Amino acid sequence: MKESLAYFNHWLSFYYEKKDLFLKDPFIQEKLELLKKAIEKSRQAFIEKGSFAFCSACANSGEKCCKAGLEWKLSPAEFLINLLLAETYSLPLAFNTSRKEDCLFLGEKGCSLILTPIFCRNFFCDKLVKHLGHANLTYIQQAMEEEATLGFIVANYITTKLLQKEGTKHGA
Ligand code: SF4
Ligand code: SF4
């Protein structure tokens, strides 16, 4: 975990150096608002179909699927999007530095990210799939499409337009 902590702390410093550039970019401003609505739409679908409640009960029973190493599924651009979103919501984005067996982003009440990595968004374990059933799973997956598209558009914009010059320095 030490390596990923140093890596994301590095991007955190980068964010604080450049955040005015991100926050004032008209394209980011516009798309971020749309992305917030899309994330909320996905969240509502997870709540409505009982997925969050099922995973919460599972996690409370001691089973965890947010294991150490999964933080690497989040790209630098997606991490920067999370910092921007956290800023607009005035929410903290704390790292897990105490439980080395867990993902760096796993907080006491679940994932501390607002936009989770694509891998995590698409992960439905067998028992969750069984619990939800085909119709509910399809409903959730369809509700998540807008978030996936907008998340990709914003991440791609950040990577190609804003991180290009920083690529060599920051390993993006
Ligand atoms: S995805 Fe599966 S293993 Fe992970 S918390 Fe949900 S039910 Fe449990
Ligand atoms: S959902 Fe969040 S806490 Fe869980 S593995 Fe993915 S990034 Fe980590």
Side-chain angles (χ1 to χ4, degrees), residues 70-94:
L70 285 172
E71 61 272 13
W72 291 111
K73 301 285 182 191
L74 192 76
S75 71
E78 288 169 330
F79 181 58
L80 294 169
I81 293 173
N82 271 285
L83 294 171
L84 287 165
L85 290 170
E87 182 124 8
T88 68
Y89 287 120
S90 300
L91 286 171
L93 202 169

Side-chain angles (χ1 to χ4, degrees), residues 65-74 102-107 110-113 115-117 119-121:
C65 56
C66 295
K67 298 193 188 310
L70 285 172
E71 61 272 13
W72 291 111
K73 301 285 182 191
L74 192 76
D102 293 343
C103 172
L104 185 67
F105 299 117
L106 185 64
C111 183
S112 58
L113 298 173
L115 177 75
T116 55
F119 174 87
C120 304
R121 271 178 263 155

Side-chain angles (χ1 to χ4, degrees), residues 98-150:
S98 54
R99 289 162 281 108
K100 64 175 192 282
E101 69 281 13
D102 293 343
C103 172
L104 185 67
F105 299 117
L106 185 64
E108 293 297 333
K109 292 181 182 165
C111 183
S112 58
L113 298 173
I114 299 169
L115 177 75
T116 55
I118 295 167
F119 174 87
C120 304
R121 271 178 263 155
N122 291 333
F123 180 77
F124 295 86
C125 77
D126 290 348
K127 65 178 174 183
L128 180 57
V129 168
K130 202 171 159 199
H131 172 75
L132 289 170
H134 180 69
N136 286 341
L137 182 61
T138 307
Y139 179 88
I140 292 174
Q141 284 169 329
Q142 283 173 351
M144 287 196 303
E145 278 173 17
E146 235 169 284
E147 176 185 347
T149 307
L150 284 160

